[in-house]
């Protein structure tokens, strides 16, 4: 640990004279922020990047097109060191300090052993008006930048809008919401329904709900909240393929409903304090009827809870998301659908089968391979076409019927087919053959377990030989 540490501070610079020494990319980044801060910017540098030169031409900044001289620093409140020559940077810092100008430098130059400036310019995540700054006192600038990148990915873009919305009512809340309720009030705004409306781009609704919450707090002296249901697509099984939005919804859940298609590694990412309810559903083993599940979700949401319903793949692709929503809508419960990577996309990518490679397929069809063999009532004439790819979900048990029907409707015996099981996970299995081979159940691969599987039919399957990249480790499942 460093003996002394920098003091974090955000400085207002509207109209303040600021000198930037350097005209390259680093200087350009600093100047972008200085402009946002409203500073009066001067730059000394023999050359400018084209973008900075444009700003100089437009008199947005003043440019001295020459090397730095010690007297340049006179009259500036702040001097920013931004050249890639340590000797020049050091000279600028010494001159600026002698003239009473505060000197700021990048984290790279701020090494505690030989610091160049007084202040460190941090790596920033910008969600105007929220700014998150990261610096390491010159100890690990690359780590600061990596941390910044992670925060950037994790902090929703719309936090800025949320903060701006809060700003519009801050005074009113301070005046009219009793002090004892205020923390609860703001937590509800930033964590609850209002935040979700903002994140989903429903700003008007967010404003209306916020106004209503303020009124309730004023009138009834209590903070009210309403529950909602999030239908969250979890992708094909690999936790790395979750979306940020899915993860955020999961981490803020009060109750989580999940079924067998969602692996434990994903379920365990949800808020640890949430109530977890397994609702079954691997093909025939329904542990809870759909109607009962829908009623439960309505009940929890109506009690003000944030209900997260985890779904395999994407909720709207053979996922019954539509049916679940119908009941929620009928009950007047708020809901949101978080899309996920469908198993079709996940399987194709991880098996190295580009679904619409333009030399082979101009369209792709997602269809079901489920139901008893005799009642697979699909439009086979449409499916048995060249120049397209067909993805059969729930295909494991009906491979022979699928192959037979496609052959009957005109596809040749050497037409390629692949079966992909537990795609994107360490247990992934890909088997490929031709329709002619697999029409005979005896020729089909013998596969243990009940991993989810789908079939891809079309010439693109052949590309797997050159496009396959994923090597599953075949470790046994964690649970
Ligand atoms: C009820 S459907 C749900 C589909 C899901 N909503 C989606 O978008 O992927 C279940 C079927 O999805 C397919 N599936 C789901 N996960 C899979 C995986 N990891 N690998 C292969 N197929 C998968 C299988 O065909 C399985 O029978």
């Amino acid at each position: 640990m460093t003996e002394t540490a920098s003091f974090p501070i955000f400085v207002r610079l509207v109209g303040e004279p600021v000198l930037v020494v350097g005209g390259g990319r680093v200087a350009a980044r600093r100047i972008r922020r200085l402009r946002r801060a409203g500073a009066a910017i001067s730059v000394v540098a023999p050359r400018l990047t084209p973008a900075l030169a444009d700003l100089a031409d437009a008199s947005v900044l003043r440019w001295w097109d020459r090397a730095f001289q010690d007297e340049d620093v006179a009259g500036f409140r702040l001097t920013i060191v931004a050249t890639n020559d340590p000797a020049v940077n050091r000279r600028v810092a010494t001159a600026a300090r002698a003239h009473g100008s505060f000197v700021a430098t990048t984290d790279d130059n701020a090494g505690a052993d030989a610091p160049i400036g007084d202040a460190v310019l941090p790596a920033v995540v910008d969600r105007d008006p929220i700014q998150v700054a990261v610096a390491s006192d010159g100890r690990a600038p690359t780590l600061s930048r990596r941390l910044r990148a992670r925060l950037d990915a994790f902090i929703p873009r719309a936090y800025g809008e949320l903060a701006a919305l809060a700003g519009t009512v801050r005074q009113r809340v301070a005046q009219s919401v009793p002090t004892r309720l205020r923390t609860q009030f703001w937590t509800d705004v930033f964590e609850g329904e209002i935040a979700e409306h903002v994140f989903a781009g429903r700003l008007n609704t967010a404003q209306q709900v916020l106004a209503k919450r303020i009124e309730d707090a004023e009138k009834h002296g209590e903070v009210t909240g309403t529950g909602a249901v999030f239908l969250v697509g979890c992708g094909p099984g690999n936790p790395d393929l979750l979306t940020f939005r899915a993860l955020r919804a999961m981490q803020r859940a009060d109750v989580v409903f999940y079924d067998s298609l969602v692996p434990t590694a994903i379920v365990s990412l949800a808020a640890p304090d949430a109530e977890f309810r397994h609702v079954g559903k691997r093909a025939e083993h329904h542990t809870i009827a759909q109607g009962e599940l829908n009623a439960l979700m309505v009940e929890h949401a109506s009690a003000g809870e944030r209900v997260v319903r985890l779904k395999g793949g994407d909720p709207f692709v053979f996922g019954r998301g539509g049916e679940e929503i119908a009941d929620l809508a009928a009950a007047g419960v708020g809901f949101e659908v978080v899309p996920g990577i469908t198993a079709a996309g996940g399987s194709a990518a991880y098996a190295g089968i580009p679904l619409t490679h333009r030399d082979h397929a101009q369209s792709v069809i997602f269809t079901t391979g489920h139901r008893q063999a005799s009642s697979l009532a699909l439009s086979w004439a449409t499916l048995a076409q060249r120049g397209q790819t067909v993805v059969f979900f729930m295909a494991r048990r009906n491979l022979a019927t699928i192959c037979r029907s496609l052959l009957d409707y005109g596809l040749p015996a050497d037409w390629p087919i692949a079966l992909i099981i537990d795609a994107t996970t360490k247990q992934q299995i890909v088997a490929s053959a031709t329709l002619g081979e697999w029409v005979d159940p005896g020729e089909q691969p013998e596969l243990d377990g009940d991993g989810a599987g789908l079939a891809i039919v079309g010439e693109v399957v052949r590309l797997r030989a050159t496009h396959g990249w994923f090597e599953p480790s075949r470790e046994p499942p964690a649970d």
Side-chain angles (χ1 to χ4, degrees), residues 98-172:
H99 280 80
S101 172
F102 214 71
V103 185
T105 185
T106 56
D107 207 0
D108 306 71
N109 286 328
D113 302 331
I116 285 179
D118 307 303
V120 174
L121 297 167
V124 175
V125 180
D126 195 344
R127 299 287 183 273
D128 180 28
I130 301 279
Q131 298 193 69
V132 182
V134 187
S136 70
D137 259 344
R139 297 289 164 151
T142 305
L143 185 59
S144 301
R145 284 193 287 271
R146 291 184 68 87
L147 197 52
R148 188 213 76 91
R150 281 196 191 188
L151 290 168
D152 193 32
F154 193 71
I155 299 174
R157 306 273 134 191
Y159 260 24
E161 284 168 79
L162 184 59
L165 176 65
T168 61
V169 294
R170 191 158 168 254
Q171 266 193 327
R172 180 167 165 207

Side-chain angles (χ1 to χ4, degrees), residues 236-237 261 312-315 317-319 341-344 347 392-395 420-425 452-454:
L261 259 185
D314 182 277
V317 179
F318 299 116
I341 294 180
T342 173
S347 300
F392 289 89
F393 284 73
M394 298 160 276
I420 300 133
I421 293 175
D422 285 334
T424 76
T425 73
L454 54 71

Side-chain angles (χ1 to χ4, degrees), residues 306-328:
R306 295 164 62 85
V307 179
V308 166
R309 165 74 168 111
L310 300 180
K311 315 274 298 177
D314 182 277
F316 279 2
V317 179
F318 299 116
R320 297 204 176 190
E323 284 136 273
E324 290 176 12
I325 281 179
D327 280 9
L328 300 173

